[in-house]
PDB file of all heavy atoms in Angstrom:
ATOM      1  N   GLY A  88     -13.393  -0.418   2.452  1.00 93.00           N
ATOM      2  CA  GLY A  88     -14.292   0.157   3.436  1.00 93.00           C
ATOM      3  C   GLY A  88     -15.533   0.800   2.832  1.00 93.00           C
ATOM      4  O   GLY A  88     -16.583   0.842   3.459  1.00 93.00           O
ATOM      5  N   LEU A  89     -15.414   1.309   1.624  1.00 94.00           N
ATOM      6  CA  LEU A  89     -16.546   1.985   0.984  1.00 94.00           C
ATOM      7  C   LEU A  89     -17.487   1.041   0.238  1.00 94.00           C
ATOM      8  O   LEU A  89     -18.541   1.469  -0.219  1.00 94.00           O
ATOM      9  CB  LEU A  89     -16.027   3.057   0.013  1.00 94.00           C
ATOM     10  CG  LEU A  89     -15.378   4.279   0.669  1.00 94.00           C
ATOM     11  CD1 LEU A  89     -14.823   5.209  -0.390  1.00 94.00           C
ATOM     12  CD2 LEU A  89     -16.363   5.004   1.564  1.00 94.00           C
ATOM     13  N   GLN A  90     -17.125  -0.229   0.119  1.00 93.00           N
ATOM     14  CA  GLN A  90     -18.005  -1.173  -0.578  1.00 93.00           C
ATOM     15  C   GLN A  90     -19.282  -1.409   0.229  1.00 93.00           C
ATOM     16  O   GLN A  90     -19.226  -1.584   1.448  1.00 93.00           O
ATOM     17  CB  GLN A  90     -17.298  -2.513  -0.784  1.00 93.00           C
ATOM     18  CG  GLN A  90     -16.353  -2.532  -1.932  1.00 93.00           C
ATOM     19  CD  GLN A  90     -15.812  -3.927  -2.178  1.00 93.00           C
ATOM     20  OE1 GLN A  90     -16.235  -4.905  -1.568  1.00 93.00           O
ATOM     21  NE2 GLN A  90     -14.857  -4.015  -3.076  1.00 93.00           N
ATOM     22  N   PRO A  91     -20.418  -1.435  -0.434  1.00 92.00           N
ATOM     23  CA  PRO A  91     -21.657  -1.790   0.269  1.00 92.00           C
ATOM     24  C   PRO A  91     -21.603  -3.236   0.764  1.00 92.00           C
ATOM     25  O   PRO A  91     -20.899  -4.081   0.184  1.00 92.00           O
ATOM     26  CB  PRO A  91     -22.747  -1.636  -0.801  1.00 92.00           C
ATOM     27  CG  PRO A  91     -22.123  -0.914  -1.938  1.00 92.00           C
ATOM     28  CD  PRO A  91     -20.645  -1.097  -1.833  1.00 92.00           C
ATOM     29  N   ALA A  92     -22.342  -3.516   1.811  1.00 91.00           N
ATOM     30  CA  ALA A  92     -22.329  -4.855   2.414  1.00 91.00           C
ATOM     31  C   ALA A  92     -22.747  -5.929   1.405  1.00 91.00           C
ATOM     32  O   ALA A  92     -22.175  -7.021   1.393  1.00 91.00           O
ATOM     33  CB  ALA A  92     -23.246  -4.884   3.633  1.00 91.00           C
ATOM     34  N   GLU A  93     -23.706  -5.620   0.560  1.00 92.00           N
ATOM     35  CA  GLU A  93     -24.178  -6.598  -0.415  1.00 92.00           C
ATOM     36  C   GLU A  93     -23.070  -6.971  -1.396  1.00 92.00           C
ATOM     37  O   GLU A  93     -22.878  -8.145  -1.721  1.00 92.00           O
ATOM     38  CB  GLU A  93     -25.396  -6.059  -1.183  1.00 92.00           C
ATOM     39  CG  GLU A  93     -26.615  -5.824  -0.323  1.00 92.00           C
ATOM     40  CD  GLU A  93     -26.557  -4.516   0.460  1.00 92.00           C
ATOM     41  OE1 GLU A  93     -25.767  -3.611   0.093  1.00 92.00           O
ATOM     42  OE2 GLU A  93     -27.280  -4.413   1.470  1.00 92.00           O
ATOM     43  N   ARG A  94     -22.345  -5.967  -1.859  1.00 93.00           N
ATOM     44  CA  ARG A  94     -21.265  -6.241  -2.810  1.00 93.00           C
ATOM     45  C   ARG A  94     -20.116  -6.979  -2.124  1.00 93.00           C
ATOM     46  O   ARG A  94     -19.511  -7.882  -2.705  1.00 93.00           O
ATOM     47  CB  ARG A  94     -20.777  -4.925  -3.411  1.00 93.00           C
ATOM     48  CG  ARG A  94     -19.729  -5.124  -4.465  1.00 93.00           C
ATOM     49  CD  ARG A  94     -19.410  -3.840  -5.150  1.00 93.00           C
ATOM     50  NE  ARG A  94     -18.293  -4.036  -6.065  1.00 93.00           N
ATOM     51  CZ  ARG A  94     -17.622  -3.054  -6.627  1.00 93.00           C
ATOM     52  NH1 ARG A  94     -17.969  -1.823  -6.402  1.00 93.00           N
ATOM     53  NH2 ARG A  94     -16.621  -3.316  -7.419  1.00 93.00           N
ATOM     54  N   TRP A  95     -19.785  -6.581  -0.887  1.00 92.00           N
ATOM     55  CA  TRP A  95     -18.719  -7.253  -0.145  1.00 92.00           C
ATOM     56  C   TRP A  95     -19.044  -8.728   0.041  1.00 92.00           C
ATOM     57  O   TRP A  95     -18.224  -9.591  -0.214  1.00 92.00           O
ATOM     58  CB  TRP A  95     -18.515  -6.575   1.205  1.00 92.00           C
ATOM     59  CG  TRP A  95     -17.489  -7.268   2.033  1.00 92.00           C
ATOM     60  CD1 TRP A  95     -17.700  -8.244   2.961  1.00 92.00           C
ATOM     61  CD2 TRP A  95     -16.082  -7.087   1.971  1.00 92.00           C
ATOM     62  NE1 TRP A  95     -16.510  -8.660   3.492  1.00 92.00           N
ATOM     63  CE2 TRP A  95     -15.498  -7.969   2.904  1.00 92.00           C
ATOM     64  CE3 TRP A  95     -15.252  -6.257   1.230  1.00 92.00           C
ATOM     65  CZ2 TRP A  95     -14.126  -8.043   3.102  1.00 92.00           C
ATOM     66  CZ3 TRP A  95     -13.885  -6.320   1.434  1.00 92.00           C
ATOM     67  CH2 TRP A  95     -13.345  -7.217   2.363  1.00 92.00           C
ATOM     68  N   ASN A  96     -20.244  -9.008   0.513  1.00 90.00           N
ATOM     69  CA  ASN A  96     -20.627 -10.387   0.770  1.00 90.00           C
ATOM     70  C   ASN A  96     -20.758 -11.192  -0.512  1.00 90.00           C
ATOM     71  O   ASN A  96     -20.435 -12.385  -0.536  1.00 90.00           O
ATOM     72  CB  ASN A  96     -21.915 -10.441   1.587  1.00 90.00           C
ATOM     73  CG  ASN A  96     -21.676 -10.049   3.025  1.00 90.00           C
ATOM     74  OD1 ASN A  96     -20.605 -10.299   3.582  1.00 90.00           O
ATOM     75  ND2 ASN A  96     -22.657  -9.415   3.634  1.00 90.00           N
ATOM     76  N   ALA A  97     -21.207 -10.567  -1.589  1.00 89.00           N
ATOM     77  CA  ALA A  97     -21.306 -11.288  -2.859  1.00 89.00           C
ATOM     78  C   ALA A  97     -19.922 -11.691  -3.367  1.00 89.00           C
ATOM     79  O   ALA A  97     -19.755 -12.770  -3.943  1.00 89.00           O
ATOM     80  CB  ALA A  97     -22.010 -10.422  -3.899  1.00 89.00           C
ATOM     81  N   ARG A  98     -18.939 -10.858  -3.119  1.00 91.00           N
ATOM     82  CA  ARG A  98     -17.591 -11.147  -3.624  1.00 91.00           C
ATOM     83  C   ARG A  98     -16.786 -12.027  -2.679  1.00 91.00           C
ATOM     84  O   ARG A  98     -16.118 -12.960  -3.112  1.00 91.00           O
ATOM     85  CB  ARG A  98     -16.850  -9.842  -3.865  1.00 91.00           C
ATOM     86  CG  ARG A  98     -15.468 -10.082  -4.383  1.00 91.00           C
ATOM     87  CD  ARG A  98     -14.807  -8.848  -4.866  1.00 91.00           C
ATOM     88  NE  ARG A  98     -13.501  -9.204  -5.404  1.00 91.00           N
ATOM     89  CZ  ARG A  98     -12.669  -8.361  -5.932  1.00 91.00           C
ATOM     90  NH1 ARG A  98     -13.009  -7.110  -6.025  1.00 91.00           N
ATOM     91  NH2 ARG A  98     -11.506  -8.760  -6.367  1.00 91.00           N
ATOM     92  N   HIS A  99     -16.803 -11.718  -1.393  1.00 90.00           N
ATOM     93  CA  HIS A  99     -15.917 -12.406  -0.457  1.00 90.00           C
ATOM     94  C   HIS A  99     -16.623 -13.456   0.409  1.00 90.00           C
ATOM     95  O   HIS A  99     -15.941 -14.280   1.017  1.00 90.00           O
ATOM     96  CB  HIS A  99     -15.218 -11.388   0.444  1.00 90.00           C
ATOM     97  CG  HIS A  99     -14.359 -10.427  -0.314  1.00 90.00           C
ATOM     98  ND1 HIS A  99     -13.193 -10.805  -0.936  1.00 90.00           N
ATOM     99  CD2 HIS A  99     -14.507  -9.112  -0.581  1.00 90.00           C
ATOM    100  CE1 HIS A  99     -12.657  -9.754  -1.535  1.00 90.00           C
ATOM    101  NE2 HIS A  99     -13.436  -8.718  -1.338  1.00 90.00           N
ATOM    102  N   ASN A 100     -17.919 -13.389   0.504  1.00 88.00           N
ATOM    103  CA  ASN A 100     -18.695 -14.352   1.289  1.00 88.00           C
ATOM    104  C   ASN A 100     -19.907 -14.819   0.481  1.00 88.00           C
ATOM    105  O   ASN A 100     -21.051 -14.560   0.845  1.00 88.00           O
ATOM    106  CB  ASN A 100     -19.173 -13.714   2.603  1.00 88.00           C
ATOM    107  CG  ASN A 100     -18.036 -13.234   3.465  1.00 88.00           C
ATOM    108  OD1 ASN A 100     -17.070 -13.948   3.670  1.00 88.00           O
ATOM    109  ND2 ASN A 100     -18.145 -12.014   3.965  1.00 88.00           N
ATOM    110  N   PRO A 101     -19.697 -15.485  -0.640  1.00 88.00           N
ATOM    111  CA  PRO A 101     -20.823 -15.812  -1.520  1.00 88.00           C
ATOM    112  C   PRO A 101     -21.834 -16.783  -0.915  1.00 88.00           C
ATOM    113  O   PRO A 101     -22.978 -16.831  -1.366  1.00 88.00           O
ATOM    114  CB  PRO A 101     -20.148 -16.407  -2.758  1.00 88.00           C
ATOM    115  CG  PRO A 101     -18.808 -16.856  -2.308  1.00 88.00           C
ATOM    116  CD  PRO A 101     -18.425 -15.973  -1.172  1.00 88.00           C
ATOM    117  N   THR A 102     -21.440 -17.549   0.104  1.00 88.00           N
ATOM    118  CA  THR A 102     -22.381 -18.504   0.699  1.00 88.00           C
ATOM    119  C   THR A 102     -23.248 -17.866   1.775  1.00 88.00           C
ATOM    120  O   THR A 102     -24.185 -18.500   2.250  1.00 88.00           O
ATOM    121  CB  THR A 102     -21.613 -19.692   1.313  1.00 88.00           C
ATOM    122  OG1 THR A 102     -20.726 -19.206   2.315  1.00 88.00           O
ATOM    123  CG2 THR A 102     -20.837 -20.441   0.240  1.00 88.00           C
ATOM    124  N   LEU A 103     -22.954 -16.625   2.140  1.00 85.00           N
ATOM    125  CA  LEU A 103     -23.724 -15.934   3.175  1.00 85.00           C
ATOM    126  C   LEU A 103     -24.792 -15.053   2.538  1.00 85.00           C
ATOM    127  O   LEU A 103     -24.672 -14.663   1.376  1.00 85.00           O
ATOM    128  CB  LEU A 103     -22.787 -15.076   4.034  1.00 85.00           C
ATOM    129  CG  LEU A 103     -21.696 -15.828   4.795  1.00 85.00           C
ATOM    130  CD1 LEU A 103     -20.812 -14.847   5.539  1.00 85.00           C
ATOM    131  CD2 LEU A 103     -22.306 -16.826   5.761  1.00 85.00           C
ATOM    132  N   PRO A 104     -25.811 -14.698   3.306  1.00 86.00           N
ATOM    133  CA  PRO A 104     -26.817 -13.779   2.762  1.00 86.00           C
ATOM    134  C   PRO A 104     -26.217 -12.393   2.499  1.00 86.00           C
ATOM    135  O   PRO A 104     -25.236 -12.012   3.152  1.00 86.00           O
ATOM    136  CB  PRO A 104     -27.878 -13.709   3.861  1.00 86.00           C
ATOM    137  CG  PRO A 104     -27.274 -14.308   5.069  1.00 86.00           C
ATOM    138  CD  PRO A 104     -26.142 -15.157   4.650  1.00 86.00           C
ATOM    139  N   PRO A 105     -26.769 -11.643   1.548  1.00 85.00           N
ATOM    140  CA  PRO A 105     -26.191 -10.338   1.181  1.00 85.00           C
ATOM    141  C   PRO A 105     -26.110  -9.340   2.328  1.00 85.00           C
ATOM    142  O   PRO A 105     -25.251  -8.469   2.334  1.00 85.00           O
ATOM    143  CB  PRO A 105     -27.119  -9.820   0.088  1.00 85.00           C
ATOM    144  CG  PRO A 105     -27.805 -11.018  -0.438  1.00 85.00           C
ATOM    145  CD  PRO A 105     -27.886 -11.999   0.684  1.00 85.00           C
ATOM    146  N   ASP A 106     -27.004  -9.448   3.300  1.00 85.00           N
ATOM    147  CA  ASP A 106     -27.008  -8.474   4.399  1.00 85.00           C
ATOM    148  C   ASP A 106     -26.298  -8.994   5.655  1.00 85.00           C
ATOM    149  O   ASP A 106     -26.499  -8.479   6.744  1.00 85.00           O
ATOM    150  CB  ASP A 106     -28.442  -8.079   4.735  1.00 85.00           C
ATOM    151  CG  ASP A 106     -29.285  -9.270   5.158  1.00 85.00           C
ATOM    152  OD1 ASP A 106     -28.864 -10.415   4.908  1.00 85.00           O
ATOM    153  OD2 ASP A 106     -30.366  -9.047   5.732  1.00 85.00           O
ATOM    154  N   HIS A 107     -25.421  -9.981   5.487  1.00 88.00           N
ATOM    155  CA  HIS A 107     -24.685 -10.536   6.628  1.00 88.00           C
ATOM    156  C   HIS A 107     -23.809  -9.445   7.257  1.00 88.00           C
ATOM    157  O   HIS A 107     -23.234  -8.602   6.552  1.00 88.00           O
ATOM    158  CB  HIS A 107     -23.820 -11.714   6.168  1.00 88.00           C
ATOM    159  CG  HIS A 107     -23.256 -12.494   7.301  1.00 88.00           C
ATOM    160  ND1 HIS A 107     -22.055 -12.169   7.882  1.00 88.00           N
ATOM    161  CD2 HIS A 107     -23.721 -13.573   7.975  1.00 88.00           C
ATOM    162  CE1 HIS A 107     -21.798 -13.010   8.867  1.00 88.00           C
ATOM    163  NE2 HIS A 107     -22.797 -13.879   8.932  1.00 88.00           N
ATOM    164  N   PRO A 108     -23.695  -9.434   8.584  1.00 85.00           N
ATOM    165  CA  PRO A 108     -22.904  -8.390   9.261  1.00 85.00           C
ATOM    166  C   PRO A 108     -21.425  -8.350   8.895  1.00 85.00           C
ATOM    167  O   PRO A 108     -20.751  -7.352   9.166  1.00 85.00           O
ATOM    168  CB  PRO A 108     -23.066  -8.733  10.747  1.00 85.00           C
ATOM    169  CG  PRO A 108     -24.280  -9.574  10.839  1.00 85.00           C
ATOM    170  CD  PRO A 108     -24.406 -10.284   9.530  1.00 85.00           C
ATOM    171  N   ALA A 109     -20.881  -9.395   8.287  1.00 85.00           N
ATOM    172  CA  ALA A 109     -19.461  -9.390   7.915  1.00 85.00           C
ATOM    173  C   ALA A 109     -19.134  -8.276   6.927  1.00 85.00           C
ATOM    174  O   ALA A 109     -18.003  -7.796   6.886  1.00 85.00           O
ATOM    175  CB  ALA A 109     -19.068 -10.735   7.319  1.00 85.00           C
ATOM    176  N   GLY A 110     -20.096  -7.836   6.151  1.00 83.00           N
ATOM    177  CA  GLY A 110     -19.858  -6.792   5.165  1.00 83.00           C
ATOM    178  C   GLY A 110     -20.291  -5.411   5.602  1.00 83.00           C
ATOM    179  O   GLY A 110     -20.148  -4.455   4.837  1.00 83.00           O
ATOM    180  N   HIS A 111     -20.786  -5.284   6.815  1.00 84.00           N
ATOM    181  CA  HIS A 111     -21.271  -3.976   7.281  1.00 84.00           C
ATOM    182  C   HIS A 111     -20.123  -3.034   7.587  1.00 84.00           C
ATOM    183  O   HIS A 111     -19.033  -3.446   7.979  1.00 84.00           O
ATOM    184  CB  HIS A 111     -22.149  -4.140   8.506  1.00 84.00           C
ATOM    185  CG  HIS A 111     -23.490  -4.739   8.186  1.00 84.00           C
ATOM    186  ND1 HIS A 111     -24.427  -5.011   9.134  1.00 84.00           N
ATOM    187  CD2 HIS A 111     -24.048  -5.117   7.009  1.00 84.00           C
ATOM    188  CE1 HIS A 111     -25.495  -5.533   8.574  1.00 84.00           C
ATOM    189  NE2 HIS A 111     -25.287  -5.613   7.275  1.00 84.00           N
TER     190      HIS A 111
END
Side-chain angles (χ1 to χ4, degrees):
L89 290 176
Q90 280 187 7
E93 296 80 19
R94 184 173 174 193
W95 177 267
N96 287 328
R98 180 169 183 179
H99 299 291
N100 300 313
T102 60
L103 299 177
D106 60 344
H107 191 272
H111 288 178

